[in-house]
Amino acid sequence: MKNEIKRIGVLTGGGDCPGLNAVIRAVVKSAIIDYDYEVIGFEDGFKGLVENSFRQMELASVAGILPKGGTILGTTNRDNPFAYPVIVDGKLVKQDMSHRVLANLEALKIDALVVIGGDGSLSIAHELSQLGVRVIGVPKTIDNDLSATDYTFGFNTAVATATDAIDKLHTTAESHHRVMVLEVMGRYAGWIALEAGLAGGADVILIPEIPYNIQSVCDKVNERYAAGKKFSIVVVAEGAHPVGEGMVVKYTVAESHDPIRLGGIGNKVGADIEKITGIESRVTVLGHLQRGGSPTPFDRILGTRLGVAAVKSIAEGRFGTMVSLRTPNIVNVPLIDAIHELKKVPVDGDLVFAARSVGICLGD
Ligand code: F6P
Protein backbone atom coordinates (compact mmCIF):
# COMPACT_ATOMS: atom_id res chain seq x y z
CA MET A 1 0.00 0.00 0.00
CA LYS A 2 2.82 2.34 0.95
CA ASN A 3 4.10 2.46 -2.64
CA GLU A 4 0.72 3.36 -4.15
CA ILE A 5 0.69 6.74 -2.42
CA LYS A 6 3.16 9.36 -3.55
CA ARG A 7 1.54 12.71 -2.87
CA ILE A 8 -1.12 13.74 -0.37
CA GLY A 9 -3.08 16.96 0.13
CA VAL A 10 -4.10 18.67 3.35
CA LEU A 11 -6.54 21.50 4.06
CA THR A 12 -8.20 23.21 7.02
CA GLY A 13 -11.88 24.09 6.60
CA GLY A 14 -14.53 25.99 8.59
CA GLY A 15 -13.94 28.23 11.59
CA ASP A 16 -10.37 28.15 12.85
CA CYS A 17 -9.42 26.86 16.28
CA PRO A 18 -6.27 26.41 18.35
CA GLY A 19 -4.44 23.19 17.45
CA LEU A 20 -4.89 23.31 13.66
CA ASN A 21 -1.19 24.01 13.20
CA ALA A 22 -0.31 21.07 15.45
CA VAL A 23 -2.25 18.79 13.09
CA ILE A 24 -0.74 20.31 9.94
CA ARG A 25 2.73 19.92 11.43
CA ALA A 26 2.11 16.30 12.38
CA VAL A 27 0.69 15.45 8.95
CA VAL A 28 3.65 17.01 7.13
CA LYS A 29 6.30 15.54 9.41
CA SER A 30 4.84 12.07 9.53
CA ALA A 31 4.16 11.99 5.77
CA ILE A 32 7.70 13.04 4.88
CA ILE A 33 9.66 11.27 7.61
CA ASP A 34 7.71 8.01 8.00
CA TYR A 35 6.37 7.47 4.48
CA ASP A 36 8.37 9.64 2.09
CA TYR A 37 5.14 11.19 0.74
CA GLU A 38 5.03 14.64 -0.84
CA VAL A 39 2.56 17.01 0.80
CA ILE A 40 0.51 19.74 -0.88
CA GLY A 41 -1.24 22.27 1.38
CA PHE A 42 -4.43 23.76 -0.09
CA GLU A 43 -5.01 27.38 0.90
CA ASP A 44 -8.18 28.69 2.56
CA GLY A 45 -9.95 25.37 2.87
CA PHE A 46 -12.03 24.04 0.01
CA LYS A 47 -11.61 27.34 -1.80
CA GLY A 48 -8.02 26.29 -2.50
CA LEU A 49 -9.23 23.03 -4.02
CA VAL A 50 -11.69 24.81 -6.32
CA GLU A 51 -9.37 27.70 -7.26
CA ASN A 52 -6.24 25.50 -7.41
CA SER A 53 -4.45 27.57 -4.83
CA PHE A 54 -1.85 25.50 -3.02
CA ARG A 55 1.72 25.28 -1.79
CA GLN A 56 4.26 22.51 -1.45
CA MET A 57 4.77 21.66 2.23
CA GLU A 58 8.28 20.87 3.38
CA LEU A 59 9.62 20.18 6.87
CA ALA A 60 10.74 23.82 6.97
CA SER A 61 7.15 24.95 6.23
CA VAL A 62 5.99 23.65 9.61
CA ALA A 63 8.97 24.63 11.75
CA GLY A 64 7.94 26.58 14.85
CA ILE A 65 4.17 26.43 14.30
CA LEU A 66 3.21 24.04 17.13
CA PRO A 67 2.38 26.75 19.71
CA LYS A 68 0.68 29.07 17.23
CA GLY A 69 -3.09 29.55 17.09
CA GLY A 70 -4.97 29.73 13.77
CA THR A 71 -3.90 27.84 10.64
CA ILE A 72 -0.92 28.60 8.44
CA LEU A 73 -2.96 27.31 5.47
CA GLY A 74 -5.83 29.73 6.00
CA THR A 75 -9.48 28.74 6.14
CA THR A 76 -13.00 29.85 5.28
CA ASN A 77 -16.45 28.71 6.30
CA ARG A 78 -18.07 29.92 3.10
CA ASP A 79 -16.76 27.88 0.19
CA ASN A 80 -18.57 24.57 -0.17
CA PRO A 81 -17.51 23.15 -3.59
CA PHE A 82 -20.95 21.53 -3.99
CA ALA A 83 -22.69 24.91 -3.53
CA TYR A 84 -19.94 27.34 -4.40
CA PRO A 85 -20.78 31.04 -4.15
CA VAL A 86 -20.29 32.88 -7.45
CA ILE A 87 -21.58 36.20 -8.71
CA VAL A 88 -23.65 35.89 -11.91
CA ASP A 89 -25.16 39.09 -13.38
CA GLY A 90 -24.43 40.89 -10.12
CA LYS A 91 -26.25 38.27 -8.05
CA LEU A 92 -24.89 35.69 -5.63
CA VAL A 93 -25.71 32.17 -6.83
CA LYS A 94 -24.38 28.79 -5.74
CA GLN A 95 -22.93 26.37 -8.26
CA ASP A 96 -21.64 22.82 -8.04
CA MET A 97 -17.87 23.09 -8.56
CA SER A 98 -17.02 19.56 -7.47
CA HIS A 99 -15.91 18.72 -11.03
CA ARG A 100 -13.19 21.38 -10.67
CA VAL A 101 -12.05 19.82 -7.39
CA LEU A 102 -11.77 16.40 -9.03
CA ALA A 103 -9.92 17.85 -12.03
CA ASN A 104 -7.47 19.77 -9.82
CA LEU A 105 -6.75 16.75 -7.64
CA GLU A 106 -6.16 14.66 -10.76
CA ALA A 107 -3.90 17.25 -12.40
CA LEU A 108 -1.86 17.59 -9.21
CA LYS A 109 -1.69 13.79 -8.84
CA ILE A 110 -3.00 13.93 -5.28
CA ASP A 111 -3.48 10.32 -4.13
CA ALA A 112 -5.28 11.12 -0.85
CA LEU A 113 -6.60 14.15 1.00
CA VAL A 114 -6.60 15.03 4.71
CA VAL A 115 -9.53 17.32 5.60
CA ILE A 116 -9.25 18.98 9.01
CA GLY A 117 -12.65 20.38 9.89
CA GLY A 118 -15.90 20.42 11.83
CA ASP A 119 -19.28 19.04 10.80
CA GLY A 120 -19.59 21.30 7.71
CA SER A 121 -16.14 20.48 6.31
CA LEU A 122 -16.43 16.80 7.16
CA SER A 123 -19.83 16.65 5.41
CA ILE A 124 -18.12 18.02 2.30
CA ALA A 125 -15.29 15.51 2.81
CA HIS A 126 -17.90 12.75 2.95
CA GLU A 127 -19.49 13.94 -0.31
CA LEU A 128 -16.07 14.05 -1.98
CA SER A 129 -15.35 10.58 -0.74
CA GLN A 130 -18.57 9.39 -2.39
CA LEU A 131 -17.23 10.81 -5.66
CA GLY A 132 -14.16 8.62 -5.26
CA VAL A 133 -11.73 11.01 -3.57
CA ARG A 134 -9.61 9.16 -1.00
CA VAL A 135 -10.30 11.20 2.11
CA ILE A 136 -9.35 11.05 5.80
CA GLY A 137 -11.10 13.45 8.18
CA VAL A 138 -9.67 15.05 11.31
CA PRO A 139 -12.19 16.46 13.83
CA LYS A 140 -11.74 20.09 14.90
CA THR A 141 -13.99 22.66 16.53
CA ILE A 142 -14.04 24.67 19.72
CA ASP A 143 -17.71 23.64 20.05
CA ASN A 144 -16.92 19.94 20.74
CA ASP A 145 -20.19 19.09 18.99
CA LEU A 146 -18.95 16.34 16.66
CA SER A 147 -20.23 12.83 17.24
CA ALA A 148 -18.00 9.75 17.28
CA THR A 149 -15.10 11.38 19.10
CA ASP A 150 -14.62 12.03 22.83
CA TYR A 151 -13.24 15.50 22.21
CA THR A 152 -12.41 17.71 19.26
CA PHE A 153 -9.12 19.59 19.48
CA GLY A 154 -9.57 23.32 20.09
CA PHE A 155 -12.26 22.76 22.70
CA ASN A 156 -9.84 22.43 25.61
CA THR A 157 -8.19 25.75 24.73
CA ALA A 158 -11.56 27.50 24.36
CA VAL A 159 -12.61 26.21 27.79
CA ALA A 160 -9.32 27.47 29.27
CA THR A 161 -9.91 30.92 27.73
CA ALA A 162 -13.49 31.07 29.00
CA THR A 163 -12.43 29.88 32.46
CA ASP A 164 -9.80 32.61 32.63
CA ALA A 165 -12.51 35.15 31.73
CA ILE A 166 -14.76 33.83 34.53
CA ASP A 167 -11.90 34.08 37.04
CA LYS A 168 -11.39 37.71 36.03
CA LEU A 169 -15.10 38.52 36.16
CA HIS A 170 -15.30 37.05 39.67
CA THR A 171 -13.06 39.69 41.23
CA THR A 172 -14.84 42.65 39.66
CA ALA A 173 -18.29 41.14 40.38
CA GLU A 174 -17.37 40.70 44.03
CA SER A 175 -15.93 44.22 44.34
CA HIS A 176 -19.00 45.91 42.83
CA HIS A 177 -21.64 43.52 44.20
CA ARG A 178 -22.87 42.93 40.67
CA VAL A 179 -24.20 40.13 38.54
CA MET A 180 -21.72 39.37 35.77
CA VAL A 181 -23.06 37.56 32.71
CA LEU A 182 -20.60 35.91 30.33
CA GLU A 183 -21.83 34.79 26.90
CA VAL A 184 -19.69 32.06 25.35
CA MET A 185 -19.72 30.31 21.95
CA GLY A 186 -20.69 26.72 21.17
CA ARG A 187 -23.48 27.01 18.57
CA TYR A 188 -26.27 24.54 19.37
CA ALA A 189 -24.32 22.73 22.12
CA GLY A 190 -23.52 23.86 25.65
CA TRP A 191 -20.14 22.16 26.11
CA ILE A 192 -18.02 25.32 26.44
CA ALA A 193 -20.49 26.99 28.83
CA LEU A 194 -20.88 23.92 31.00
CA GLU A 195 -17.19 22.98 31.28
CA ALA A 196 -15.94 26.56 31.70
CA GLY A 197 -18.74 27.30 34.15
CA LEU A 198 -17.80 24.25 36.21
CA ALA A 199 -14.10 25.09 36.09
CA GLY A 200 -14.72 28.74 36.96
CA GLY A 201 -17.22 28.11 39.76
CA ALA A 202 -20.18 29.84 38.07
CA ASP A 203 -23.43 30.22 40.01
CA VAL A 204 -25.68 29.83 36.99
CA ILE A 205 -24.99 28.06 33.68
CA LEU A 206 -27.49 28.27 30.82
CA ILE A 207 -27.10 25.83 27.91
CA PRO A 208 -29.23 25.15 24.81
CA GLU A 209 -30.00 21.62 25.96
CA ILE A 210 -31.86 22.92 29.06
CA PRO A 211 -34.26 25.78 28.19
CA TYR A 212 -34.26 28.23 31.08
CA ASN A 213 -36.83 29.97 33.21
CA ILE A 214 -35.60 33.48 34.10
CA GLN A 215 -37.37 33.33 37.47
CA SER A 216 -35.27 30.29 38.48
CA VAL A 217 -32.13 32.24 37.55
CA CYS A 218 -33.26 35.26 39.59
CA ASP A 219 -34.23 33.07 42.55
CA LYS A 220 -30.66 31.77 42.61
CA VAL A 221 -29.20 35.30 42.44
CA ASN A 222 -31.56 36.52 45.19
CA GLU A 223 -30.86 33.50 47.38
CA ARG A 224 -27.13 34.22 47.20
CA TYR A 225 -27.73 37.90 47.95
CA ALA A 226 -29.83 37.03 51.01
CA ALA A 227 -27.03 34.74 52.22
CA GLY A 228 -24.56 37.65 52.04
CA LYS A 229 -23.02 36.74 48.65
CA LYS A 230 -23.89 39.96 46.90
CA PHE A 231 -22.52 38.98 43.49
CA SER A 232 -23.24 36.21 41.02
CA ILE A 233 -21.57 34.79 37.92
CA VAL A 234 -23.88 33.66 35.12
CA VAL A 235 -22.40 31.79 32.13
CA VAL A 236 -24.66 31.72 29.08
CA ALA A 237 -24.08 29.62 25.96
CA GLU A 238 -24.86 31.56 22.78
CA GLY A 239 -27.51 28.94 21.95
CA ALA A 240 -29.28 29.15 25.33
CA HIS A 241 -32.94 30.16 25.21
CA PRO A 242 -35.92 30.55 27.52
CA VAL A 243 -38.53 27.80 27.72
CA GLY A 244 -40.86 28.14 24.74
CA GLU A 245 -38.66 30.64 22.87
CA GLY A 246 -36.11 30.22 20.10
CA MET A 247 -32.38 30.96 20.04
CA VAL A 248 -31.22 34.52 19.39
CA VAL A 249 -29.83 34.85 15.86
CA LYS A 250 -27.31 37.65 15.42
CA TYR A 251 -27.06 37.51 11.63
CA THR A 252 -26.95 35.08 8.74
CA VAL A 253 -24.09 34.38 6.34
CA ALA A 254 -25.68 33.33 3.05
CA GLU A 255 -22.53 31.69 1.61
CA SER A 256 -21.96 29.52 4.68
CA HIS A 257 -22.71 25.79 5.04
CA ASP A 258 -24.63 26.71 8.24
CA PRO A 259 -25.72 30.33 7.63
CA ILE A 260 -26.98 31.04 11.15
CA ARG A 261 -24.74 33.00 13.54
CA LEU A 262 -26.01 33.04 17.12
CA GLY A 263 -25.42 35.82 19.64
CA GLY A 264 -27.19 38.26 21.89
CA ILE A 265 -28.77 36.03 24.51
CA GLY A 266 -26.28 37.24 27.15
CA ASN A 267 -27.61 40.80 26.85
CA LYS A 268 -31.18 39.59 27.26
CA VAL A 269 -30.30 37.53 30.34
CA GLY A 270 -28.37 40.42 31.91
CA ALA A 271 -31.17 42.93 31.30
CA ASP A 272 -33.82 40.54 32.61
CA ILE A 273 -31.85 39.77 35.80
CA GLU A 274 -31.31 43.46 36.54
CA LYS A 275 -34.99 44.24 35.93
CA ILE A 276 -36.32 41.39 38.10
CA THR A 277 -33.80 41.42 40.98
CA GLY A 278 -32.85 45.10 40.97
CA ILE A 279 -29.19 44.07 41.23
CA GLU A 280 -26.83 45.86 38.85
CA SER A 281 -25.75 43.54 36.04
CA ARG A 282 -23.08 43.69 33.35
CA VAL A 283 -22.62 41.53 30.27
CA THR A 284 -19.43 40.33 28.56
CA VAL A 285 -19.53 38.58 25.19
CA LEU A 286 -16.31 36.59 24.87
CA GLY A 287 -16.66 36.05 21.10
CA HIS A 288 -13.74 35.08 18.90
CA LEU A 289 -11.20 35.31 21.71
CA GLN A 290 -12.27 31.70 22.29
CA ARG A 291 -11.00 30.74 18.84
CA GLY A 292 -7.59 32.35 19.17
CA GLY A 293 -4.39 32.02 21.12
CA SER A 294 -1.86 29.31 21.72
CA PRO A 295 -3.32 25.79 22.07
CA THR A 296 -3.18 24.12 25.49
CA PRO A 297 -0.82 21.14 25.89
CA PHE A 298 -3.90 18.87 25.64
CA ASP A 299 -4.84 20.31 22.23
CA ARG A 300 -1.24 20.23 20.98
CA ILE A 301 -0.95 16.56 21.92
CA LEU A 302 -4.38 15.60 20.58
CA GLY A 303 -3.71 17.51 17.34
CA THR A 304 -0.35 15.78 16.93
CA ARG A 305 -1.82 12.32 17.58
CA LEU A 306 -4.66 12.93 15.12
CA GLY A 307 -2.33 14.27 12.41
CA VAL A 308 -0.02 11.28 12.70
CA ALA A 309 -3.00 8.91 12.74
CA ALA A 310 -4.43 10.56 9.60
CA VAL A 311 -1.26 9.81 7.63
CA LYS A 312 -1.09 6.26 9.01
CA SER A 313 -4.72 5.84 7.92
CA ILE A 314 -3.75 6.84 4.39
CA ALA A 315 -0.90 4.34 4.39
CA GLU A 316 -3.34 1.65 5.58
CA GLY A 317 -6.00 2.60 3.03
CA ARG A 318 -8.71 3.50 5.58
CA PHE A 319 -10.39 6.02 3.30
CA GLY A 320 -13.78 7.59 4.04
CA THR A 321 -13.02 7.60 7.76
CA MET A 322 -12.24 10.14 10.44
CA VAL A 323 -9.52 9.69 13.04
CA SER A 324 -11.12 9.98 16.44
CA LEU A 325 -10.23 10.04 20.12
CA ARG A 326 -11.74 7.11 21.94
CA THR A 327 -9.80 7.43 25.17
CA PRO A 328 -7.11 6.19 25.50
CA ASN A 329 -6.84 5.35 21.79
CA ILE A 330 -7.06 7.06 18.43
CA VAL A 331 -9.35 5.00 16.21
CA ASN A 332 -10.96 5.30 12.76
CA VAL A 333 -14.71 5.83 12.47
CA PRO A 334 -16.77 6.16 9.27
CA LEU A 335 -17.11 9.85 8.30
CA ILE A 336 -20.88 9.47 8.26
CA ASP A 337 -20.86 8.58 11.98
CA ALA A 338 -19.18 11.89 12.76
CA ILE A 339 -21.63 14.04 10.82
CA HIS A 340 -25.02 12.36 11.06
CA GLU A 341 -25.97 14.26 14.23
CA LEU A 342 -24.50 16.95 16.46
CA LYS A 343 -23.17 15.82 19.83
CA LYS A 344 -25.09 17.73 22.48
CA VAL A 345 -24.67 17.77 26.25
CA PRO A 346 -26.62 14.83 27.71
CA VAL A 347 -29.00 16.43 30.21
CA ASP A 348 -28.92 13.36 32.42
CA GLY A 349 -25.14 12.94 32.12
CA ASP A 350 -22.38 13.18 34.68
CA LEU A 351 -21.36 16.78 33.90
CA VAL A 352 -24.86 18.13 34.43
CA PHE A 353 -25.24 15.98 37.56
CA ALA A 354 -21.96 17.33 38.96
CA ALA A 355 -23.02 20.92 38.25
CA ARG A 356 -26.31 20.46 40.06
CA SER A 357 -24.62 18.68 42.96
CA VAL A 358 -22.31 21.61 43.65
CA GLY A 359 -25.29 23.97 43.70
CA ILE A 360 -25.08 25.47 40.22
CA CYS A 361 -28.43 26.63 38.84
CA LEU A 362 -29.07 25.41 35.30
CA GLY A 363 -32.10 27.61 34.83
CA ASP A 364 -34.77 24.89 35.05
O1 F6P B 1 -18.14 26.71 15.21
C1 F6P B 1 -17.23 27.56 15.82
C2 F6P B 1 -17.85 28.90 16.11
O2 F6P B 1 -16.88 29.72 16.75
C3 F6P B 1 -19.13 28.87 16.92
O3 F6P B 1 -18.91 28.65 18.29
C4 F6P B 1 -19.73 30.20 16.57
O4 F6P B 1 -21.13 30.15 16.71
C5 F6P B 1 -19.34 30.39 15.14
O5 F6P B 1 -18.23 29.54 14.89
C6 F6P B 1 -18.96 31.79 14.76
O6 F6P B 1 -18.73 31.84 13.38
P1 F6P B 1 -18.05 33.07 12.63
O7 F6P B 1 -16.56 32.95 12.83
O8 F6P B 1 -18.46 32.90 11.21
O9 F6P B 1 -18.56 34.32 13.27
Side-chain angles (χ1 to χ4, degrees):
M1 196 67 198
K2 182 180 165 182
N3 294 332
E4 285 182 21
I5 305 283
K6 288 197 166 57
R7 181 182 283 181
I8 67 171
V10 59
L11 65 84
T12 52
D16 70 339
C17 80
L20 284 167
N21 284 329
V23 183
I24 295 169
R25 173 179 174 269
V27 166
V28 170
K29 286 195 153 202
S30 169
I32 294 175
I33 296 169
D34 294 338
Y35 299 97
D36 205 17
Y37 296 160
E38 267 187 75
V39 186
I40 297 295
F42 289 96
E43 293 166 343
D44 298 332
F46 291 103
K47 186 177 182 193
L49 267 183
V50 174
E51 311 282 348
N52 214 22
S53 150
F54 62 88
R55 66 183 95 143
Q56 178 95 23
M57 304 295 284
E58 308 289 356
L59 290 177
S61 323
V62 296
I65 67 171
L66 182 59
K68 290 191 180 154
T71 159
I72 59 164
L73 289 174
T75 189
T76 165
N77 50 15
R78 293 165 182 247
D79 294 305
N80 176 357
F82 293 93
Y84 200 72
V86 284
I87 304 290
V88 177
D89 296 335
K91 276 195 187 148
L92 175 78
V93 293
K94 293 188 176 178
Q95 290 180 352
D96 184 354
M97 292 289 186
S98 53
H99 58 283
R100 267 172 68 170
V101 170
L102 299 184
N104 288 337
L105 287 172
E106 168 113 28
L108 281 169
K109 295 190 165 56
I110 302 287
D111 299 310
L113 182 68
V114 177
V115 173
I116 311 167
D119 70 318
S121 303
L122 294 180
S123 299
I124 295 165
H126 177 64
E127 281 186 76
L128 287 175
S129 122
Q130 288 184 317
L131 293 182
V133 180
R134 305 205 282 186
V135 178
I136 301 291
V138 180
K140 73 87 224 190
T141 166
I142 62 164
D143 303 332
N144 198 38
D145 59 357
L146 269 179
S147 292
T149 185
D150 292 351
Y151 289 105
T152 51
F153 71 85
F155 170 66
N156 187 265
T157 308
V159 169
T161 299
T163 303
D164 180 53
I166 296 170
D167 289 347
K168 287 176 173 151
L169 289 174
H170 249 112
T171 56
T172 176
E174 198 163 359
S175 306
H176 282 267
H177 318 296
R178 281 172 169 165
V179 175
M180 285 293 183
V181 176
L182 177 69
E183 180 184 303
V184 298
M185 284 183 164
R187 279 203 311 172
Y188 312 114
W191 294 106
I192 298 176
L194 185 54
E195 291 215 357
L198 269 169
D203 306 299
V204 179
I205 303 173
L206 304 179
I207 59 175
E209 293 84 350
I210 305 178
Y212 72 85
N213 177 339
I214 194 66
Q215 195 54 53
S216 307
V217 175
C218 293
D219 288 349
K220 175 72 182 178
V221 170
N222 282 332
E223 185 189 299
R224 284 175 53 78
Y225 198 90
K229 294 172 184 162
K230 298 192 172 171
F231 71 96
S232 288
I233 301 291
V234 180
V235 178
V236 184
E238 63 183 355
H241 57 97
V243 176
E245 290 180 35
M247 297 178 186
V248 180
V249 176
K250 198 169 170 196
Y251 46 77
T252 54
V253 181
E255 305 93 324
S256 181
H257 188 81
D258 176 5
I260 290 174
R261 293 293 177 275
L262 299 171
I265 187 65
N267 284 318
K268 176 174 166 52
V269 169
D272 288 349
I273 292 174
E274 184 166 292
K275 195 164 143 211
I276 296 170
T277 64
I279 303 172
E280 195 174 35
S281 305
R282 292 287 186 269
V283 178
T284 302
V285 179
L286 201 50
H288 290 79
L289 284 174
Q290 292 157 100
R291 291 240 298 263
S294 184
T296 58
F298 180 91
D299 280 337
R300 295 182 198 190
I301 295 164
L302 179 57
T304 300
R305 292 175 72 194
L306 291 172
V308 167
V311 179
K312 184 164 177 272
S313 303
I314 289 174
E316 291 173 355
R318 296 170 181 266
F319 302 114
T321 67
M322 177 184 87
V323 287
S324 147
L325 176 66
R326 286 300 193 203
T327 308
N329 301 312
I330 302 291
V331 300
N332 290 77
V333 296
L335 270 172
I336 192 75
D337 288 1
I339 57 177
H340 81 284
E341 66 174 339
L342 286 184
K343 183 177 72 181
K344 303 222 176 151
V345 173
V347 295
D348 51 1
D350 163 72
L351 273 176
V352 167
F353 181 76
R356 292 193 196 281
S357 296
V358 296
I360 296 172
C361 167
L362 293 167
D364 52 348

